[in-house]
Amino acid sequence: MYEIPTSPADPSLARSRVAAECARWLWQHRWPLCLLTLLVAVVHGPSVRYDFVNWDDPWYVTDNPLIKSWSLENLHGIATQPVARNFAPLTVFTLLVDHTFWGLNPAGYHLTNVLLHGLNTILVWWLVRRLVNDDGIALLTAVLFAVHPVQVESVAWISSRKTLLSTTCMLASGLCWLRGDRAVKGEMCGTLWLLLGLLSKASAVVVPPIVLLYDVLIRRQRPADAIPRQLMPGFLCLVCINMTMGAQVTIVGGIRDHIGLGKLHIIGIDSLLLFRYLRMLFCPSDLAILYDVPIEGIFWPVLAAAVFWLGVAAVLWRFRERCPWFTWLAACWILLLFPMLNFFPLTTLINDRYLYLPCVPIFVIAACGLKSCVNRCLRAGVRLRSAKPLATSVGVLAIVAAIVTSSLASAAQSQIWRKPATLWSNTMQHVPQLAVVRIQWALTLHDAGRASEAQVVLQSALDECRLDEQDRQRIEVKLSEWREL
């Protein structure tokens, strides 16, 4: 029987070829993918049983009318209205999808967060593996990204969906942009993913400068050739910044002592916060939802920090030709943190979730340093044959110990997010001097039927905490309402 030949452009044949390539890729990398998926499930899976918390979750989910139905009015509102002073329509849309399937059952929202973190872990592994062409460094970076304790806030807190979703889009954009053989199609796909990231959270605006530095430092392009490629992505970022700034019509909640400080003062505080961020990555103890950061009487520490960071910048610039990857990774760390360095007003100076994606360049640098140390030990072991297996064993045990320690610490940190009572009782142990912490703890006690204790907590905030006029009025109004009940 005569058969009609299949055209190479046959859509069904193309889909089959893509499916076969995907299946082959998944099978080829099944072991790292299974390991990363298992780690995310074990460390963060228990959060599926957690409740909503009274920290932004009411604004985004429980009291948000925009996610309660698929009406045209709601869809228009999602596309145009800020929620909790953030313009993030794609994030709110995913909450609408969750509400469609789960209603107000928090398990579904937590499950989506865990799945997004698992996807981000795989994307980190994929991107780092392509960038450094080293399976070991890529896997270690992805494992640390999956289980590090600073990631708990982003995964276990439903309202941090915007961080998870924007990271997914930024990593996908990076897979399209950050490659030596980039074609026009890849740049178009990268720009589309950037747009989705901007619609998830404004922090995606750092993608174009990261790509620009990659083209100049790694691909060795002239700035005159690299800059025009970032004009359209840059324009999208400017539009997003304008819309986000328009959404910041009020500044409520959080910690506001730094609001109104001059830019030079903010830069000084940031120079100290960079050390704090590094300590949180390498020594993640005493993590909390809020931190009390000193903003006065810090002249000498700021001066020392400024000298140190200027020295680091000078060294990186001096050796940019010899060590372009190290320079680019360090620049990526700063750029990824830049939206959270309070040049645009934020109600908290420092948070765990601010490190969700910026931790990746630091983990890559640490993994490269560890590999270099191991290689030196192995080269030394060539002269002493008995030292070679010992060095290898010590290196493997150190890595395993770091992973196990981080996983256990994350599991313990995750328990804090089970419900409002555990969240704010823990925070009260860390920073009871913050007025907002006592307010949230009082609200939690009142919701639990412990009204008299809640009034005592609010009164103690009036007597003992540093209050601005907004906090004072809020406390007095609540006390008046509760006493009338």
Side-chain angles (χ1 to χ4, degrees):
M1 179 182 296
Y2 176 75
E3 294 184 359
I4 299 175
T6 304
S7 170
D10 187 347
S12 61
L13 181 61
R15 286 193 295 269
S16 299
R17 188 180 298 112
V18 170
E21 288 295 328
C22 290
R24 186 180 302 110
W25 187 88
L26 290 172
W27 179 254
Q28 181 182 356
H29 303 103
R30 61 191 181 279
W31 295 119
L33 295 178
C34 288
L35 173 63
L36 296 173
T37 302
L38 179 63
L39 284 172
V40 171
V42 170
V43 174
H44 299 284
S47 66
V48 173
R49 301 193 299 268
Y50 297 171
D51 203 350
F52 295 111
V53 295
N54 56 355
W55 187 246
D56 286 5
D57 283 358
W59 286 349
Y60 280 104
V61 183
T62 56
D63 298 336
N64 184 5
L66 294 177
I67 70 168
K68 300 303 170 64
S69 76
W70 289 75
S71 67
L72 291 178
E73 180 182 1
N74 278 4
L75 292 175
H76 180 265
I78 289 173
T80 59
Q81 297 178 20
V83 175
R85 307 180 309 283
N86 286 287
F87 182 72
L90 185 58
T91 297
V92 180
F93 180 78
T94 65
L95 297 174
L96 169 64
V97 174
D98 277 346
H99 188 274
T100 302
F101 287 99
W102 302 94
L104 291 179
N105 181 354
Y109 301 84
H110 283 297
L111 177 61
T112 302
N113 276 21
V114 173
L115 292 175
L116 281 172
H117 181 57
L119 175 59
N120 290 340
T121 300
I122 292 173
L123 291 176
V124 165
W125 167 79
W126 189 0
L127 179 60
V128 174
R129 182 174 178 269
R130 175 185 290 176
L131 289 173
V132 302
N133 195 29
D134 189 295
D135 290 338
I137 290 175
L139 185 59
L140 180 57
T141 300
V143 166
L144 291 174
F145 178 86
V147 304
H148 198 281
V150 296
Q151 309 294 58
V152 168
E153 179 174 293
S154 298
V155 182
W157 186 23
I158 292 171
S159 292
S160 197
R161 172 75 58 83
K162 56 186 179 292
T163 297
L164 298 170
L165 193 59
S166 66
T167 296
T168 302
C169 299
M170 291 170 70
L171 290 170
S173 181
L175 283 167
C176 298
W177 278 103
L178 303 176
R179 51 190 309 164
D181 58 345
R182 188 170 72 227
V184 174
K185 181 179 179 181
E187 294 183 351
M188 292 176 61
C189 290
T191 303
L192 177 60
W193 279 112
L194 170 63
L195 176 61
L196 295 176
L198 294 170
L199 295 176
S200 303
K201 189 179 181 182
S203 58
V205 297
V206 301
V207 169
I210 287 175
V211 175
L212 178 62
L213 283 177
Y214 176 83
D215 287 344
V216 172
L217 292 174
I218 308 302
R219 298 181 72 202
R220 302 294 185 178
Q221 287 190 335
R222 294 184 306 141
D225 296 329
I227 291 175
R229 294 180 177 273
Q230 300 307 314
L231 291 180
M232 177 55 69
F235 173 75
L236 294 175
C237 292
L238 289 176
V239 173
C240 175
I241 290 173
N242 182 62
M243 299 185 71
T244 301
M245 294 301 292
Q248 301 289 334
V249 294
T250 58
I251 299 176
V252 297
I255 305 169
R256 300 179 300 276
D257 292 348
H258 60 284
I259 302 296
L261 293 178
K263 290 296 185 284
L264 189 60
H265 197 158
I266 289 294
I267 291 173
I269 295 172
D270 288 340
S271 67
L272 297 178
L273 292 183
L274 293 178
F275 286 110
R276 184 76 173 266
Y277 282 128
L278 289 176
R279 186 172 71 83
M280 291 166 67
L281 290 176
F282 291 101
C283 184
S285 59
D286 297 327
L287 299 179
I289 187 174
L290 291 170
Y291 299 93
D292 189 13
V293 177
I295 61 175
E296 300 293 343
I298 55 175
F299 175 79
W300 292 112
V302 165
L303 181 61
V307 171
F308 175 83
W309 291 119
L310 286 174
V312 170
V315 170
L316 291 174
W317 179 258
R318 174 69 177 80
F319 291 97
R320 67 189 185 280
E321 299 292 337
R322 188 183 305 177
C323 307
W325 278 105
F326 187 79
T327 302
W328 181 70
L329 288 169
C332 285
W333 178 57
I334 295 296
L335 286 171
L336 289 169
L337 276 175
F338 183 81
M340 282 72 76
L341 292 180
N342 283 273
F343 294 102
F344 306 103
L346 299 172
T347 52
T348 46
L349 278 168
I350 182 171
N351 285 118
D352 296 357
R353 63 185 180 276
Y354 293 169
L355 282 170
Y356 183 73
L357 186 55
C359 69
V360 173
I362 299 299
F363 290 160
V364 173
I365 292 173
C368 291
L370 179 62
K371 180 182 178 181
S372 177
C373 291
V374 171
N375 286 340
R376 288 185 180 183
C377 292
L378 292 178
R379 285 195 295 270
V382 171
R383 294 187 296 271
L384 298 172
R385 292 186 178 182
S386 60
K388 184 174 181 179
L390 178 61
T392 304
S393 301
V394 170
V396 171
L397 287 175
I399 293 173
V400 171
I403 294 171
V404 171
T405 302
S406 293
S407 300
L408 293 175
S410 292
Q413 182 71 16
S414 179
Q415 292 293 314
I416 295 169
W417 289 87
R418 284 178 297 157
K419 53 187 179 180
T422 55
L423 177 63
W424 294 111
S425 62
N426 175 269
T427 311
M428 279 289 291
Q429 296 175 17
H430 284 82
V431 281
Q433 69 273 22
L434 295 180
V436 65
V437 173
R438 297 209 191 189
I439 293 172
Q440 291 301 128
W441 178 231
L443 293 173
T444 301
L445 291 173
H446 192 271
D447 291 342
R450 299 160 64 180
S452 59
E453 294 179 57
Q455 293 181 39
V456 171
V457 171
L458 283 188
Q459 187 60 53
S460 70
L462 281 176
D463 299 335
E464 302 170 6
C465 293
R466 184 178 65 249
L467 300 173
D468 61 14
E469 189 59 30
Q470 191 176 107
D471 279 338
R472 185 175 297 279
Q473 290 181 1
R474 185 183 179 194
I475 292 173
E476 290 174 348
V477 168
K478 279 297 178 184
L479 282 174
S480 178
E481 290 177 355
W482 291 350
R483 286 166 181 164
E484 291 176 359
L485 294 178

